[in-house]
């Protein structure tokens, strides 16, 4: 059945099943933040043909990814989620089953973190669009910002990069990946379709803050690419950065899939890996990576103004990273 046959009220009745009944039903949702916590609000939009297509992303994955993008932004601020709202713009000929699976994907991602859908809106649109607003809370003293990094701090990534881009390439090209096992191929495809927001890191960060209440951590997520994140943190904080290419974590699967130059491009600019990029004092960074499997210290902040990638020991092996090299909507 198409949603124009189902009608607005029928569609609302279907999606309300994914919301707590005691919260939805009025003109707005009422949530009660924890005392002495700041509220963090973030919005992200996914547009058909730009962020997803039927060729690479089934509706459950569209739902998962739309939620993951917002939860990743909360994690990047050090915030725990309270709930999300969902605004949908849908073509009339969209299948009601597509919408059902979309919400199932959202629910699967949200259920990991006991986070409800607390409201939203639905309207007719010439192109399918999902806009999600996530609400979270964080202690004011433990907000992670892009602007608080200091020179000589370690730069930490919470996990491997380049996997989402590799997964997308596999989904777009059936002939690619002959050297990979089916398990390796599926793992990379899953990394693209069902990325994991790194809210799991927050308890480890809380322990660091508990041991040092004056600790400041700068950072953001790498959804727009690792290089973009490092450059943005550097610019916001008024520092530079030196990154070592050999320290950038990625799986061996990528080395079977593409040449080294392509892998480096995927790692730096592929985007949609949804890992965290954090800057903090070196001794604290060493403590942090001991408790986060797959994490790594990839470089240090500097008193310079540029973000430099070291690809070897020769002076000519230095590459200046900029935002222009990554994905831009316009």
């Amino acid at each position: 059945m198409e949603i124009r046959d189902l009608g607005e009220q029928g569609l609302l009745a279907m999606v309300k099943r994914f919301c707590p009944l005691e919260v939805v039903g009025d003109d707005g949702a009422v949530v009660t933040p924890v005392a002495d916590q700041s509220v963090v609000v973030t919005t992200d939009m996914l547009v058909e043909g730009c962020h997803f297509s039927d060729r690479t992303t089934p509706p459950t994955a569209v739902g998962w990814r739309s939620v993951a993008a917002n939860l990743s932004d909360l994690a990047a601020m050090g915030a725990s989620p309270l709930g999300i709202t969902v605004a949908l713009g849908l073509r009339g000929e969209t299948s009601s089953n597509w919408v059902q699976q979309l919400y199932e994907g959202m629910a699967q991602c949200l259920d990991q973190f006991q986070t409800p859908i607390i409201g939203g809106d639905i309207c007719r649109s010439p192109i399918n669009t999902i806009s999600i607003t996530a609400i979270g809370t964080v202690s004011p003293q433990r907000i992670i910002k892009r602007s608080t990094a200091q020179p000589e701090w370690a730069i930490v990534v919470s996990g491997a990069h380049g996997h989402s881009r590799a997964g997308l390439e596999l989904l777009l090209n059936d002939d690619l990946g002959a050297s990979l096992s089916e398990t390796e191929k599926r793992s990379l495809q899953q990394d693209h379709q069902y990325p994991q927001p790194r809210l799991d890191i927050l308890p480890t960060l809380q322990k660091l803050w508990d041991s040092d209440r004056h600790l400041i951590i700068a950072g953001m997520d790498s959804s727009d690419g690792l290089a973009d994140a490092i450059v943005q943190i550097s610019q916001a904080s008024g520092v530079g950065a030196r990154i070592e290419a050999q320290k950038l974590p990625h799986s061996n699967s990528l080395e079977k899939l593409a040449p080294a130059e392509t892998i480096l491009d995927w790692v730096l600019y592929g985007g949609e890996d949804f890992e965290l990029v954090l800057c903090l004092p070196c001794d604290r960074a060493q403590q942090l990576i001991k408790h986060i499997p797959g994490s790594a210290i990839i470089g240090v902040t500097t008193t310079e103004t540029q973000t430099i990638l070291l690809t070897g020991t020769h002076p000519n092996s230095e590459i200046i990273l900029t935002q222009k090299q990554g994905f831009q909507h316009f």
Side-chain angles (χ1 to χ4, degrees):
M1 181 182 292
E2 295 179 349
I3 60 172
R4 59 186 168 193
D5 300 320
L6 190 61
E8 182 177 354
Q9 294 306 314
L11 181 59
L12 286 172
M14 183 176 75
V15 301
K16 277 184 178 179
R17 298 200 303 268
F18 294 91
C19 309
L21 297 179
E22 69 276 10
V23 175
V24 301
D26 292 304
D27 292 307
V30 178
V31 294
T32 304
V34 178
D36 301 322
Q37 296 277 294
S38 294
V39 175
V40 178
V41 181
T42 180
T43 300
D44 206 71
M45 182 184 296
L46 273 72
V47 178
E48 189 173 24
C50 179
H51 299 97
F52 64 90
S53 70
D54 290 340
R55 182 180 176 188
T56 61
T57 322
T60 52
V62 177
W64 180 293
R65 282 165 56 85
S66 62
V67 166
N70 283 269
L71 296 186
S72 181
D73 284 336
L74 290 182
M77 297 289 293
S80 300
L82 276 179
I84 71 165
T85 62
V86 182
L88 293 182
L90 297 171
R91 291 179 284 107
E93 62 271 23
T94 301
S95 163
S96 61
N97 187 53
W98 189 92
V99 179
Q100 173 78 20
Q101 292 182 48
L102 174 78
Y103 272 79
E104 288 174 355
M106 291 183 192
Q108 289 166 12
C109 188
L110 290 167
D111 286 350
Q112 300 176 101
F113 311 106
Q114 296 79 52
T115 303
I117 300 173
I118 58 175
D121 190 27
I122 294 175
C123 70
R124 182 164 54 89
S125 169
I127 188 168
N128 286 345
T129 303
I130 304 107
S131 179
I132 291 181
T133 296
I135 304 162
T137 59
V138 60
S139 169
Q141 294 78 31
R142 297 180 178 183
I143 298 173
I144 298 172
K145 294 185 176 182
R146 303 176 186 181
S147 58
T148 55
Q150 298 295 316
E152 305 305 323
W153 279 10
I155 302 172
V156 174
V157 292
S158 61
H161 283 76
H163 290 196
S164 179
R165 177 60 184 274
L168 176 61
E169 295 294 333
L170 288 168
L171 289 164
L172 290 172
N173 189 344
D174 293 334
D175 298 326
L176 194 64
S179 60
L180 299 178
S181 68
E182 286 302 314
T183 299
E184 289 173 321
K185 288 176 64 175
R186 187 59 191 149
S187 176
L188 291 174
Q189 290 169 343
Q190 290 278 110
D191 286 341
H192 176 73
Q193 294 177 330
Y194 299 95
Q196 191 65 43
R198 298 311 306 267
L199 288 164
D200 61 299
I201 294 174
L202 296 188
T204 301
L205 296 180
Q206 297 297 338
K207 290 179 181 178
L208 282 182
W209 276 310
D210 289 342
S211 65
D212 182 357
R213 62 188 182 90
H214 298 295
L215 176 64
I216 296 173
I217 300 176
M220 63 180 289
D221 81 345
S222 60
S223 56
D224 289 330
L226 176 57
D228 175 86
I230 297 169
V231 171
Q232 288 212 50
I233 294 169
S234 297
Q235 290 179 346
S237 297
V239 299
R242 296 180 74 83
I243 310 300
E244 296 184 47
Q246 64 181 7
K247 294 183 178 180
L248 302 176
H250 61 270
S251 75
N252 293 332
S253 300
L254 267 63
E255 296 177 7
K256 299 179 184 179
L257 188 61
E261 184 176 336
T262 300
I263 293 173
L264 183 60
D265 183 72
W266 289 353
V267 168
L268 290 173
Y269 304 111
E272 297 186 320
D273 288 302
F274 295 103
E275 296 291 342
L276 299 188
V277 182
L278 304 172
C279 298
L280 63 166
C282 293
D283 57 339
R284 296 302 185 186
Q286 291 288 352
Q287 290 179 271
L288 180 63
I289 64 172
K290 289 179 182 178
H291 300 284
I292 304 174
S295 64
I297 296 174
I298 61 170
V300 295
T301 55
T302 69
T303 56
E304 302 167 359
T305 58
Q306 295 176 324
T307 300
I308 297 172
L309 174 72
L310 305 176
T311 59
T313 57
H314 193 275
N316 292 335
S317 64
E318 295 186 357
I319 300 173
I320 297 175
L321 303 181
T322 69
Q323 288 179 278
K324 293 181 181 179
Q325 295 155 289
F327 173 77
Q328 301 287 325
H329 279 285
F330 303 101

